Amino acid sequence: MSRMTCTREGLALDGQPLYLLAGQLHYFRWPRAEWRERLLQARAAGLNTIDTVIPWNLHEPAEGILHFEGYADLPGYLDLIVELGLFAIVRPAPYICAEWENAGFPAWLTARLAPGENGLALRTADPRFLAPMERWFDRLIPLLAERQVDEGGPIILVQIENEHWASGVYGHDDYQQRQAEALVRRGITVPLYTCMGAGRSWPEFRNGWSGIAQKLEATRRAWPDNPMIVSELWSGWFDDWGSSRHDGRTAAALDWKLHELLAVGCAGFSHWMWAGGSHFGYWGGRTVGGDTIFMTTSYDYGAPVDEYGGLTPKFYAARRHHLFLNTLGSQVSRLMADASPGGARVVVPPAIPGRAASGAEPLRNVHLGPTTATFLQNPALERHTFQLFLPGQPPAHLAIEVDAGSVKPIYGNLPLGEQGLTLRWHTSHLLGFWSLPEGDVLVFHGFAGEVGQVGLAVPGGQAWRILDPDTAACDAAGEHLTISYWIGSTPTLVRVEAGHALTVVFLTGDRAARWWPLGEHGFLCGPDLVSEWEMSEDGLAIQCTGESLLPLLMIWPDGTARELPAPAVSAGRHTVLRPARWAQVDVVERSAEDGWQAMERPQPLEVLGCLLGYGWYRAEIEIAEPVVTTLTAPALADRATVLMDGQVAGVLGVGPGATGMALTLHLPAGRHDIRLLVDNLGRFNYGSNLGERKGLLDTLYWGGIQEDITKGWVALWQEATFAGEAIGGSQPAHVRPDAKDVDISCFPFSGPDVWLLREIHVPDGHRAVVVMTGDRNPGALFVNGRPVVRFSRHYGGGVIKEDVTALLRPGTNVLALHIQGYAGLPWRAWLLHYDQAQALQAQWSFRPGVTPATVPVPGGGGPSAPQFWRARFDYDEATDGPGPCRLSLRGMGKGQVWLNGHNAGRYWQIGPQEWTKLPQSWLQDHNELLLLEEQGRKPRDVFIEFGRRDQPWQVTIPLRPAAGQSGP
């Protein structure tokens, strides 16, 4: 069986270097029916490894109840990976982050963990955490151990923990060591690693985007024997409700970043994400940076493969790199990691007034022995020409044209293959080198119309023979060969020989991304996607998808080529289906009298066994006289629609349309029924607030007052460096402020330190809660000079909600907010004070979930009451088209979608998500679409779109061209 090792140089399989080309493709974010297509796309893109986290809460939804069926069939997913010839990385650490609900921890576990060190028992050696973790490992790890590469399976690496530096308990290496031992004890034999949480017994990979190449260099300086591998390359970003779409990282940015990584000697990376998928059901988490950063249902992530399986420009940008790295990555990464500065001499293009801007210095320019590598960078908005001088006999003077916003690596005296071939120089991008028994193939690419040169050499005593120069000019002088060419829309194939046949190919960049190696059979150039091929009686049968850049060419291993007939690609249908009739269906819990669980006072959802989604709290009260008052919820997470006697009275909690912690009510005398539909929008997946509790964590109170204290602050920054925390005890009226009457939601200042002071007034005997939301920079909140909470991106993460009652004094009190590295981001602040003696005297009960009625349920509910809408529709692929299928909820408010009983996820029409994915595999001939609409909207404009899907086509190619058909 095979053996995987991890050393300073990177990964090796049975002693042979393996450049890690991995992509995050999480099985649980895709319907099982889509796994094969996604994996084939990944393989076609040149990935050799599939990377996945493993969410504990998905697989053990209730303690002791294991779930490995459907899209949770992890063993089946790993078996499919190895069937398709790919490797796998598994990340079983209980903490996965991943923008996933509760970071992967089961809510039944976190509900019972009392606060430990730094407020956390999680991710430490606390026995209350380790014992259930090891029980989970008892079930999980044997499934992984039998699927390791040394057992014939796909698994080549296993992660210990994840981003432990972000845990709030960084430095608990005893916990990481215990976890590593637990993995080994249960049969893990492949290399272990961690990311962003260094240990002594395993390598550390790095995560990130901005500055990631510099992080690899810093890691190498700190640990010279550590491999330079990126475990998460964040080439996109997640979306959250109410924020703009995070699609600003372009294909050009990914192209640049991958060049940066190779320039420092990176030995492999994993795209986070390669194909993001969807948060079906209630699985989206929340993260730091504010009180409303909850994940959208879509986890498209701006990935190379989009949420519907479509190929984006990032797919093709990444694929060009993968082709190069699959053939030369391990060789070049070792060169770049150990090279010394100097090599080629570069003259940067100077500015020419009125004509051109100046160029930039090389990103990196190094040599290792006679081999040189020069990474020319051009951040400008126009193409630049660099002059490059290579030493050697003879020396070379090259004019290198570098496109705007791009990097071009130029290698000098680079050995290729085992026949002694040397690439002396080149001026276009090097795509890859394939050594086949019948001849080698060397491929370059550039912009259409680019003129360039390639210099090649073979060992002394051999001489070049020109077989077919195509449109290029070849100059052979003994063991040296120079090819002068220009790049057109049609590939140029130069066939030469020097003891061994060589085909040199010149392509445009678009064609390079569509260059498909077919193993020993040769290459196909042109199709958008080649997923599979196999031998048939008629020749090589190749499965393609999408369109093709014409002419379509087959290049055999000996360099002969044939132009193939243009494929007949039928365009997929694009149809819209509007359900003809919607039926309004009542929510049972809104008026039901039975099925309620009595309780003395409200408790968190997870304590009540409602781990995900919605729950109902019911308070039955009686008042003697009419009253106008506020209903106060000092401890609600996250959002509650309040129904008073069946009518919607308002929304408490976070997000648009909610009133925060207090709601004004007008109540007549008599008996009243208060019902709160509470929505858990997702638990933290990052930072020190892991394991947060949801729902109504405390009872309700009458008469509380919520004040917006965003305005009225004074600011100090000039004195901050000198006075430090002494400012926290200052009175606003007694300091010399740099700015008065500051609105912290609109404070145009940036600096290393800023202090903001504000007076507050709380009636004697009242409890007081301060809520503040802002950025993730570090800082602290003080009350009357005493620290209440210190915060950072990991602690609190931009959300402060603190009961400050114990620090109050009679009369005036002072809040002091200290922010480090403030850069003008908006903050908001509220003060809630209430009389604890005014707790709601009620008969409390609870019901989990939301249930559609089977028969009409009386009770009204008003125009904004939560309600279900049901529509039935037929689907015929031949008529409606093959998809992808997506749902437009324009005109709706907020709620949940089910298709044939499958929970497709949350919708919330506050942006940025416009469509909800309806997986093809969930569709039937006759279908039911069910919407839970929380805000009383009607589905007048709702429709289903069956989009255009790229149609597959097949081309069958004889193994050798017929006589007289050797040229393109």
Side-chain angles (χ1 to χ4, degrees):
M1 293 296 179
S2 297
R3 181 172 179 266
M4 178 62 62
T5 55
C6 183
T7 66
R8 180 182 189 274
E9 284 73 31
L11 301 181
L13 183 65
D14 295 331
Q16 295 301 309
L18 175 71
Y19 195 96
L20 180 66
L21 294 171
Q24 298 286 335
L25 212 170
H26 299 160
Y27 55 100
F28 48 86
R29 284 184 164 122
W30 296 90
R32 183 181 184 133
E34 297 182 33
W35 286 354
R36 186 178 186 88
E37 184 180 359
R38 296 293 84 74
L39 292 173
L40 287 173
Q41 287 173 330
R43 186 180 71 178
L47 296 184
N48 52 35
T49 304
I50 302 301
D51 198 341
T52 186
V53 296
I54 302 174
W56 182 3
N57 53 6
L58 173 69
H59 293 293
E60 194 173 3
E63 188 171 12
I65 305 299
L66 277 295
H67 172 48
F68 285 99
E69 295 81 38
Y71 67 84
D73 183 6
L74 171 61
Y77 187 65
L78 294 171
D79 292 344
L80 181 57
I81 288 172
V82 73
E83 176 190 327
L84 297 179
L86 294 162
F87 299 117
I89 299 172
V90 292
R91 306 169 70 175
Y95 171 75
I96 64 170
C97 186
E99 289 72 63
W100 188 256
E101 153 70 19
N102 215 23
F105 293 116
W108 55 259
L109 171 66
T110 58
R112 71 187 187 210
L113 288 180
E117 178 186 350
N118 295 326
L120 286 175
L122 299 172
R123 308 179 74 183
T124 71
D126 188 323
R128 297 170 298 166
F129 171 61
L130 281 183
M133 183 200 80
E134 294 221 22
R135 286 195 296 270
W136 159 236
F137 275 11
D138 286 339
R139 299 297 299 271
L140 172 68
I141 302 308
L143 300 176
L144 305 180
E146 65 187 16
R147 290 173 171 83
Q148 296 176 100
V149 70
D150 50 9
E151 298 292 334
I155 299 173
I156 58 173
L157 291 170
V158 175
Q159 185 188 27
I160 305 167
E161 240 291 325
N162 181 49
E163 296 180 345
H164 201 239
W165 70 277
S167 66
V169 287
Y170 178 60
H172 277 253
D173 290 338
D174 53 339
Y175 156 59
Q176 294 191 87
Q177 186 64 43
R178 292 278 292 274
Q179 189 183 111
E181 292 168 357
L183 294 170
V184 172
R185 209 165 44 242
R186 289 165 176 81
I188 296 301
T189 56
V190 297
L192 303 175
Y193 76 96
T194 189
C195 66
M196 301 198 300
R200 298 176 181 175
S201 304
W202 50 80
E204 175 177 271
F205 300 169
R206 299 305 300 264
N207 294 0
W209 176 257
S210 178
I212 185 62
Q214 291 71 36
K215 291 177 182 178
L216 288 181
E217 291 181 304
T219 302
R220 175 55 60 86
R221 287 193 296 270
W223 300 297
D225 294 329
N226 198 84
M228 298 173 69
I229 293 177
V230 178
S231 43
E232 294 180 14
L233 181 63
W234 303 332
S235 56
W237 204 245
F238 58 82
D239 285 332
D240 57 282
W241 296 112
S243 297
S244 297
R245 181 170 290 117
H246 294 108
D247 57 358
R249 291 180 182 168
T250 63
L254 175 59
D255 178 72
W256 188 294
K257 191 64 62 177
L258 293 177
H259 279 304
E260 281 186 348
L261 290 177
L262 187 57
V264 300
C266 176
F269 52 84
S270 180
H271 295 273
W272 187 292
M273 297 291 299
W274 178 255
S278 308
H279 287 131
F280 298 121
Y282 304 105
W283 288 117
R286 70 179 294 196
T287 195
V288 298
D291 64 339
T292 58
I293 305 183
F294 297 93
M295 301 303 120
T296 59
T297 298
S298 170
Y299 196 64
D300 182 89
Y301 211 83
V305 177
D306 70 25
E307 184 181 10
Y308 297 91
L311 307 185
T312 74
K314 286 182 184 175
F315 178 94
Y316 294 106
R319 188 171 186 275
R320 284 193 294 262
H321 286 269
H322 299 163
L323 286 168
F324 173 82
L325 295 169
N326 266 313
T327 60
L328 295 168
S330 295
Q331 176 184 349
V332 172
S333 68
R334 290 195 297 272
L335 160 69
M336 301 307 300
D338 296 328
S340 301
R345 183 185 174 193
V346 178
V347 176
V348 176
I352 303 175
R355 179 177 173 186
S358 62
E361 292 294 329
L363 184 66
R364 196 157 187 234
N365 188 21
V366 296
H367 75 99
L368 184 64
T371 304
T372 65
T374 306
F375 282 66
L376 300 171
Q377 61 175 335
N378 179 14
L381 299 178
E382 59 187 72
R383 188 178 297 149
H384 280 163
T385 301
F386 295 77
Q387 303 302 316
L388 188 142
F389 301 85
L390 279 170
Q393 293 299 324
H397 174 193
L398 306 173
I400 312 293
E401 296 176 276
V402 183
D403 274 330
S406 70
V407 177
K408 179 182 281 190
I410 300 297
Y411 303 101
N413 298 311
L414 179 69
L416 299 175
E418 299 178 356
Q419 305 294 328
L421 179 65
T422 298
L423 176 60
R424 296 174 60 214
W425 68 72
H426 60 103
T427 59
S428 296
H429 285 274
L430 174 56
L431 181 67
F433 176 78
W434 289 266
S435 187
L436 303 175
E438 297 180 51
D440 297 335
V441 178
L442 178 62
V443 185
F444 299 90
H445 68 92
F447 59 88
E450 178 177 342
V451 174
Q453 281 191 346
V454 169
L456 299 168
V458 289
Q462 299 186 46
W464 288 100
R465 189 163 66 96
I466 312 302
L467 303 178
D468 184 355
D470 201 344
T471 60
C474 298
D475 182 10
E479 68 267 26
H480 296 288
L481 173 69
T482 300
I483 303 174
S484 300
Y485 60 89
W486 66 277
I487 295 176
S489 59
T490 300
T492 298
L493 279 70
V494 176
R495 297 173 59 206
V496 294
E497 184 180 71
H500 192 68
L502 172 68
T503 302
V504 186
V505 184
F506 303 97
L507 306 169
T508 62
D510 285 343
R511 278 195 170 275
R514 293 163 176 80
W515 174 263
W516 302 98
L518 304 176
E520 62 181 12
H521 306 298
F523 306 86
L524 184 62
C525 184
D528 283 354
L529 183 72
V530 170
S531 54
E532 296 182 275
W533 63 87
E534 62 180 359
M535 291 301 303
S536 69
E537 294 181 357
D538 299 323
L540 186 63
I542 304 173
Q543 301 296 322
C544 305
T545 305
E547 298 179 352
S548 178
L549 292 178
L550 300 178
L552 183 66
L553 289 181
M554 177 67 193
I555 297 95
W556 279 271
D558 64 357
T560 57
R562 175 189 290 173
E563 182 177 327
L564 304 176
V569 181
S570 59
R573 293 177 177 271
H574 181 96
T575 60
V576 170
L577 188 155
R578 296 183 184 274
R581 180 177 299 175
W582 287 93
Q584 183 176 346
V585 181
D586 283 322
V587 176
V588 168
E589 292 81 6
R590 188 172 54 78
S591 56
E593 295 295 328
D594 59 350
W596 295 87
Q597 169 188 345
M599 56 186 176
E600 183 177 341
R601 63 189 288 127
Q603 298 182 71
L605 288 171
E606 47 276 278
V607 173
L608 294 166
C610 183
L611 304 183
L612 297 170
Y614 299 93
W616 287 85
Y617 292 83
R618 183 183 185 188
E620 298 173 84
I621 65 171
E622 189 162 352
I623 59 174
E625 298 179 355
V627 65
V628 178
T629 186
T630 58
L631 187 67
T632 303
L636 168 67
D638 296 306
R639 185 178 169 95
T641 302
V642 180
L643 283 81
M644 178 66 68
D645 302 323
Q647 304 294 318
V648 173
V651 179
L652 288 165
V654 300
T659 59
M661 297 172 286
L663 179 66
T664 301
L665 295 179
H666 298 252
L667 299 177
R671 188 169 182 81
H672 297 282
D673 185 317
I674 305 174
R675 303 190 185 194
L676 285 78
L677 173 59
V678 176
D679 187 9
N680 163 14
L681 293 168
R683 295 179 180 87
F684 275 106
N685 55 255
Y686 183 84
S688 62
N689 291 328
L690 294 177
E692 66 173 322
R693 298 187 176 184
K694 295 292 188 176
L696 206 53
L697 314 185
D698 187 14
T699 192
L700 301 175
Y701 297 86
W702 294 120
I705 297 176
Q706 178 178 274
E707 300 178 39
D708 189 330
I709 56 171
T710 303
K711 298 179 181 179
W713 298 74
V714 300
L716 300 92
W717 56 83
Q718 294 186 30
E719 302 291 348
T721 303
F722 305 99
E725 290 194 0
I727 297 175
S730 303
Q731 299 291 320
H734 298 158
V735 300
R736 186 180 63 202
D738 295 295
K740 295 181 180 180
D741 197 21
V742 169
D743 179 346
I744 58 175
S745 71
C746 184
F747 181 35
F749 172 77
S750 63
D753 283 278
V754 61
W755 281 85
L756 295 142
L757 306 177
R758 193 191 194 284
E759 293 181 349
I760 60 172
H761 302 274
V762 178
D764 292 345
H766 277 213
R767 298 200 70 82
V769 176
V770 173
V771 178
M772 306 190 76
T773 67
D775 61 31
R776 300 185 297 169
N777 282 9
L781 176 68
F782 296 75
V783 175
N784 296 325
R786 297 182 61 184
V788 176
V789 61
R790 297 189 184 276
F791 54 86
S792 69
R793 64 186 299 121
H794 304 143
Y795 286 100
V799 182
I800 302 167
K801 187 174 185 179
E802 294 291 329
D803 188 319
V804 299
T805 308
L807 299 177
L808 298 179
R809 58 196 178 199
T812 300
N813 295 270
V814 177
L815 299 180
L817 180 65
H818 177 216
I819 310 172
Q820 297 176 341
Y822 182 72
L825 294 174
W827 281 69
R828 293 296 305 275
W830 297 267
L831 170 67
L832 175 72
H833 54 83
Y834 61 97
D835 186 350
Q836 197 169 10
Q838 294 297 311
L840 188 68
Q841 300 301 312
Q843 180 180 340
W844 284 98
S845 55
F846 177 80
R847 273 187 67 153
V850 282
T851 310
T854 55
V855 295
V857 178
S864 60
Q867 56 201 296
F868 284 99
W869 292 93
R870 177 183 286 123
R872 292 183 171 88
F873 65 95
D874 294 337
Y875 170 69
D876 179 4
E877 181 174 331
T879 302
D880 299 316
C885 176
R886 58 186 189 172
L887 177 68
S888 170
L889 290 152
R890 187 175 181 85
M892 302 300 283
K894 177 181 178 294
Q896 208 80 12
V897 179
W898 288 263
L899 173 64
N900 296 326
H902 299 279
N903 192 330
R906 177 177 287 111
Y907 69 88
W908 199 352
Q909 294 298 292
I910 58 174
Q913 181 175 324
E914 183 176 3
W915 302 91
T916 297
K917 178 178 176 177
L918 301 180
Q920 244 53 26
S921 57
W922 295 1
L923 288 169
Q924 305 167 4
D925 293 339
H926 310 289
N927 302 275
E928 178 186 88
L929 188 64
L930 184 67
L931 309 180
L932 170 65
E933 168 55 41
E934 298 175 39
Q935 299 176 355
R937 305 286 183 85
K938 297 181 179 180
R940 297 187 183 94
D941 299 320
V942 170
F943 64 89
I944 304 167
E945 180 183 88
F946 298 92
R948 178 187 183 278
R949 180 184 295 278
D950 291 333
Q951 296 299 295
W953 49 278
Q954 179 173 305
V955 58
T956 301
I957 304 167
L959 292 185
R960 284 292 180 271
Q965 294 183 323
S966 62

